[in-house]
Amino acid sequence: MRRLVLLRNHCAGMTLLLCVGVGSASAEESEVSETDLLNGTSPLRDQGDLAARMVAGIDRFLTRGLTASVERRGGHWKQDFSSREAYARSVSANRERLREIIGAVDPRPLPVQMELVGTTEQPSLVGQGAGYTVHAVRWRALDGVDGEGLLLRPTSSPVARIIAIPDADQTPEMLVGMAVGGAPEGQFGRRLAEACCEVLVPALINRSDTFSGNPRVCVTNQPHREFVYRMAYEMGRHVIGYEVQKVLAAVDYFASPAAGEKRPVGVMGYGEGGLLALYSGGLDSRIDVVVVSGYFQPRQQVWAEPIYRNVWRLLSEFGDAELAGLIAPRTLIVEACRGPEIDGPPKARKGHVGGAAPGKLTTPSIDTVRAEIERARGTYARLDASGNLKLIISQGGKGPPGTSDTLAALLAGLGQEAAASRLVSVGQPPKDFRKGFDPSDRQKRQLDQMIEFTQGLVRQSEFRRREHWSKTDASSVQKWTASCKAYRRRFWEDVIGRLPDASEPANPRSRRLYDRPKWRGYEVMLDVWPDVFASGILLVPKDLKQGEQRPVVVCQHGLEGTPRSTIEPRHAQAYSRFAVRLVERGFVVYAPQNPYIGGDAFRVLQRKANPLGLSLFSFIIGQHARTLAWLASLPFVDAERIGFYGISYGGKTAVRVPTILERYALSICSADFNDWIYKNTTIDHRTSYLFTGEYEMPEFNLGNTFNYAEMAGLMVPRPFMVERGHRDGVASDEWVAYEYAKVRRLYDELGIGDRTEIEFFNGGHKINGVGTFEFPHKHLKWPR
């Protein structure tokens, strides 16, 4: 039971409203405080774990957003159906945005040469089948990155040229029958060669974890695809983009005189290969026919698939039906069959640390495949190409890929109906001339090349960021802040993801939690969006005078923390009770709850947010904006003197939230500031996030746009400080000092060097509370 009590603050002369808990509340919560200052709030009656409820509410918000994304995508399309040529022009911007979000942005070397790979002991000719030969080949896709695989060449002139892409866990040899794996009828690479097609079968990065790591540093249980994804995503690239580039480089070759007489080009893929076929066909109109097998379906559940399928902003503009719209009016054949099925990443084991992201693949129901096909039919119909979109079902959607009907439709789409008569469902596999061939060497080469290409991007990233920031003007503080407005907007909209302003009334609620000799503490809840609220604990000094307005320090907890972490003795080893120590110095203190708590429960929020062009910090910024507005409304708060002080994940917050929300008058980053891009991408240090379970850390294309120095630059002219323990395992002192030196130089050159500091101390991952306590005294103008 709860009752409302009207009290009078005798010291301040204010009338106050207090909610007094009875029954289930703690003894301290039940006491009536005559100095409760939370006027204008209603009773907070919510019980249970508010942090878990916060995460669950954001999850519901995102789930609705994923569902609604289907209807909202139309706003990104300006299709012109007046002619096929006009349509192609009208979707060119969509095609370029797709290229950008999958990271297929690097120039491919031209001309492409198809190299025969052999040695003195083993020539490139590795096999021979009925009417075709099999060669080991490679072709250059990017600088230092080759495609590798098998080229099946008919002994007579080919009727078509086809890139047959296996699933990630299939080798090229499996797709042509030179290795065990899959049903014989699913060996569509071989079967198309038997039908007199020239067939190129590329090797993909697989889902094993054999080489995921640096043997000198750490090896993880992440699938190879995830290991590449994590570092590439930070650099605006993607394992999907890299492999699409390999496919398109093969198209470059097939379209060149070096390939011989011009022939129609098709791409067919299964599983992960189906994904690549769909994306490649959407990007390149030189591909005449696209076959997607074991992949096509609604994508609103992409967050539950393996993380290497996570694409920034994908669902804001593209589902599989929209990607089909980029292929239209060309022929697209969707084969509904049993897809690759995995329950998750490899298990952690001796020699391979855990931390891989969860994610499953299952075969979709035939109804869901049909539903997505139906969404695509409208585009084909308006282009008078309805017959070019085909759905072929293999045994009710559960059969093997590469049915004879599918291959016949592919050949017909390429204008080679007669070749379909040569299709053999179960033929003889080609004879393998190699002895004891091990595909793992090729897999390691392919993986190493992608890693090295990405590490090269990391090494160049500082120069790319300088180019990105070249339009700023550092000749004065005024010109710097004016020129940073566009960068602040890009940071919010393009990197973090911007949500609309709060849509719900704040409806502030409160209850007292603490009553100490010098201060009182109140739990607070504020509404933001449907199902999304902000909460925290407000600490108020007892010596406030009537009409006095004091500065506020917002004290932000770290990973898996709560506002109580900043207050209570049991968390003092890391947090040093810094909220309490600051309120005892006379500051008003607010400790917010941020939603990075609950393990995979909160990391899934990032998975659900990214395809919508959002992130966890999209919500944190909205929560803090609502909190700042509420704090500014309190009569004892000086709205111009609200500072931020965060540790660990709260330090991550310190360079993301105050840089955007200019109402924060200063920011202190503790136990987090470092060369953030290097930390997220390097394979050479054990502290790298490549080797941990924080799979939510990569932020798309951050490496080319904003490191921590650039984020801190958005604080100018407001004060900014770094707190660093020598033994903090987040990074080395050298990383921290190197990145901070750029901040110090900027402030110095702008003539405001006294507004930034760094304090090193003998200690680890913790609040030290020496210089960082003096910093708000100085810059929030509160005497000690």
Side-chain angles (χ1 to χ4, degrees), residues 158-163 197-199 253-256 259-267 414:
V159 299
R161 295 189 170 96
I162 296 173
I163 303 166
C197 296
E198 185 175 16
V199 181
Y253 169 72
F254 279 160
S256 72
E261 191 173 347
K262 187 175 171 129
R263 292 289 184 268
V265 175
V267 173
L414 294 169

Side-chain angles (χ1 to χ4, degrees), residues 99 102 104 108 141 204 238-251 275-281 283 450:
R99 192 185 308 277
I102 66 171
R108 296 189 301 274
L204 301 191
H238 205 292
V239 64
I240 292 173
Y242 288 155
E243 291 191 326
V244 164
Q245 292 277 53
K246 292 184 182 186
V247 173
L248 299 186
V251 175
L275 177 156
L276 296 174
L278 183 61
Y279 282 73
S280 298
L283 289 180
M450 284 191 187

Side-chain angles (χ1 to χ4, degrees), residues 707-742:
N707 203 342
Y708 272 14
E710 287 79 21
M711 295 181 202
L714 295 176
M715 284 296 299
V716 171
R718 294 168 291 157
F720 177 75
M721 184 173 182
V722 172
E723 183 176 48
R724 162 70 192 175
H726 290 308
R727 296 187 296 280
D728 191 338
V730 162
S732 68
D733 279 354
E734 291 77 10
W735 292 11
V736 177
Y738 179 78
E739 192 66 14
Y740 176 75
K742 304 171 203 174

Side-chain angles (χ1 to χ4, degrees), residues 327-342:
I327 296 170
R330 292 169 288 141
T331 298
L332 170 62
I333 302 161
V334 174
E335 183 178 55
C337 66
R338 183 183 64 253
E341 298 188 346
I342 62 171

Side-chain angles (χ1 to χ4, degrees), residues 43 168 209 220 250 316 477 551:
D209 65 353
T220 84
S316 296
V477 169

Side-chain angles (χ1 to χ4, degrees), residues 211-541:
F211 308 115
S212 292
N214 182 341
R216 299 187 305 274
V217 180
C218 181
V219 181
T220 84
N221 73 325
Q222 296 166 36
H224 295 149
R225 299 186 73 79
E226 179 179 346
F227 192 66
V228 173
Y229 157 84
R230 288 200 191 191
M231 65 180 81
Y233 196 81
E234 190 87 354
M235 300 310 303
R237 307 304 196 276
H238 205 292
V239 64
I240 292 173
Y242 288 155
E243 291 191 326
V244 164
Q245 292 277 53
K246 292 184 182 186
V247 173
L248 299 186
V251 175
D252 293 338
Y253 169 72
F254 279 160
S256 72
E261 191 173 347
K262 187 175 171 129
R263 292 289 184 268
V265 175
V267 173
M268 177 174 178
Y270 167 66
E272 221 67 29
L275 177 156
L276 296 174
L278 183 61
Y279 282 73
S280 298
L283 289 180
D284 199 325
S285 60
R286 296 174 301 172
I287 300 171
D288 298 297
V289 178
V290 177
V291 181
V292 177
S293 178
Y295 177 75
F296 200 89
Q297 65 186 86
R299 286 294 150 202
Q300 288 83 269
Q301 295 291 312
V302 68
W303 60 269
E305 298 175 24
I307 197 169
Y308 45 79
R309 289 186 174 184
N310 180 53
V311 175
W312 175 253
R313 273 197 181 132
L314 176 69
L315 297 185
S316 296
E317 188 166 352
F318 304 101
D320 287 4
E322 285 76 19
L323 293 172
L326 293 180
I327 296 170
R330 292 169 288 141
T331 298
L332 170 62
I333 302 161
V334 174
E335 183 178 55
C337 66
R338 183 183 64 253
E341 298 188 346
I342 62 171
D343 290 330
K347 301 295 184 185
R349 61 192 189 280
K350 184 177 181 180
H352 289 251
V353 301
K360 297 182 178 182
L361 292 180
T362 59
T363 299
S365 71
I366 190 62
D367 289 340
T368 60
V369 178
R370 281 198 177 104
E372 195 69 5
I373 284 283
E374 288 307 310
R375 287 207 315 112
R377 287 201 186 279
T379 299
Y380 273 83
R382 295 186 69 179
L383 291 168
D384 195 25
S386 295
N388 289 350
L389 177 61
K390 304 177 187 296
L391 172 62
I392 297 174
I393 301 172
S394 173
Q395 299 177 19
K398 302 295 184 180
T403 62
S404 294
D405 287 347
T406 300
L407 301 187
L410 166 59
L411 293 170
L414 294 169
Q416 303 299 324
E417 292 90 342
S421 63
R422 303 176 187 173
L423 290 170
V424 178
S425 61
V426 184
Q428 288 296 316
K431 183 179 180 181
D432 193 341
F433 298 153
R434 297 171 295 187
K435 303 297 182 184
F437 173 73
D438 184 356
S440 63
D441 291 340
R442 180 179 58 206
Q443 179 70 202
K444 189 173 189 305
R445 280 195 304 274
Q446 293 281 282
L447 182 63
D448 286 348
Q449 287 179 354
M450 284 191 187
I451 291 172
E452 180 50 35
F453 183 85
T454 310
Q455 294 298 304
L457 296 173
V458 174
R459 290 190 290 271
Q460 291 295 313
S461 65
E462 185 166 354
F463 305 105
R464 301 293 80 78
R465 291 193 297 275
R466 287 181 191 174
E467 292 169 4
H468 180 74
W469 282 75
S470 61
K471 294 182 180 177
T472 52
D473 185 344
S475 60
S476 71
V477 169
Q478 293 74 21
K479 290 181 178 180
W480 174 265
T481 54
S483 61
C484 276
K485 289 180 180 178
Y487 289 90
R488 182 175 289 108
R489 184 176 63 253
R490 286 178 208 163
F491 184 48
W492 195 351
E493 295 176 358
D494 297 339
V495 175
I496 288 175
R498 184 169 185 170
L499 283 164
D501 292 341
S503 62
E504 303 299 295
N507 184 25
R509 288 92 77 200
S510 67
R511 61 178 165 227
R512 181 178 54 76
L513 292 183
Y514 302 100
D515 189 355
R516 299 291 185 265
K518 294 184 178 181
W519 54 273
R520 293 185 178 88
Y522 310 91
E523 191 164 31
V524 176
M525 183 182 286
L526 309 165
D527 292 331
V528 185
W529 298 288
D531 279 325
V532 181
F533 62 86
S535 67
I537 297 176
L538 182 72
L539 307 184
V540 184

